[in-house]
Amino acid sequence: MKNFMLIFRGPDYNEQEFTADESQEMMGKWFAWVDALKTENRYVAGEALMPTGKMVKRNNVVTDGPYAEAKELVGGFFVIRATDIDDAVAHCDGFPDYGIGGTVEVREVVVFENM
């Protein structure tokens, strides 16, 4: 099995108008997806990300980011185990944010032997 990173993009949750029940339902979907991946021994790690941060460029040039102009924010990530990229893509079916315009970017994790 190889490791694949699932990068979650979508609207800023803080700007969404969810009722308390809708928020609870959404979190339940996330927990159910993680539980299913764990049951299949595919879940390696994952975290949500705050919607704001800093962009660091050469010579320590630091600016606010991600930029407000961005239509999609990177909201978090998972690392999962899969046999190949098609297998990893197949395990994105449980992504709860498809209904609010979210997307998943799937990338294979490169393993460097000498690190």
Side-chain angles (χ1 to χ4, degrees):
M1 297 278 251
K2 300 175 184 176
N3 284 350
F4 291 84
M5 180 171 274
L6 310 182
I7 303 164
F8 309 131
R9 288 193 171 84
D12 184 349
Y13 263 77
N14 294 323
E15 294 181 4
Q16 299 294 308
E17 295 184 14
F18 295 120
T19 66
D21 288 341
E22 289 170 332
S23 293
Q24 187 76 9
E25 180 182 349
M26 185 68 74
M27 289 310 299
K29 289 178 181 180
W30 277 99
F31 291 135
W33 188 29
V34 170
D35 288 344
L37 291 169
K38 284 180 177 179
T39 298
E40 296 179 22
N41 195 30
R42 292 183 179 273
Y43 183 85
V44 175
E47 299 291 343
L49 301 172
M50 296 298 293
T52 59
K54 298 287 182 184
M55 300 293 289
V56 181
K57 298 179 183 176
R58 186 178 188 170
N59 298 322
N60 290 325
V61 175
V62 180
T63 59
D64 290 334
Y67 302 105
E69 301 85 36
K71 298 211 186 281
E72 296 181 328
L73 294 175
V74 175
F77 69 92
F78 286 173
V79 176
I80 66 166
R81 292 180 193 89
T83 55
D84 57 30
I85 197 161
D86 293 328
D87 185 33
V89 167
H91 283 85
C92 295
D93 286 346
F95 178 60
D97 287 358
Y98 286 133
I100 59 171
T103 61
V104 181
E105 180 180 345
V106 180
R107 307 271 298 270
E108 185 175 344
V109 176
V110 176
V111 178
F112 293 99
E113 297 297 324
N114 295 326
M115 292 187 85

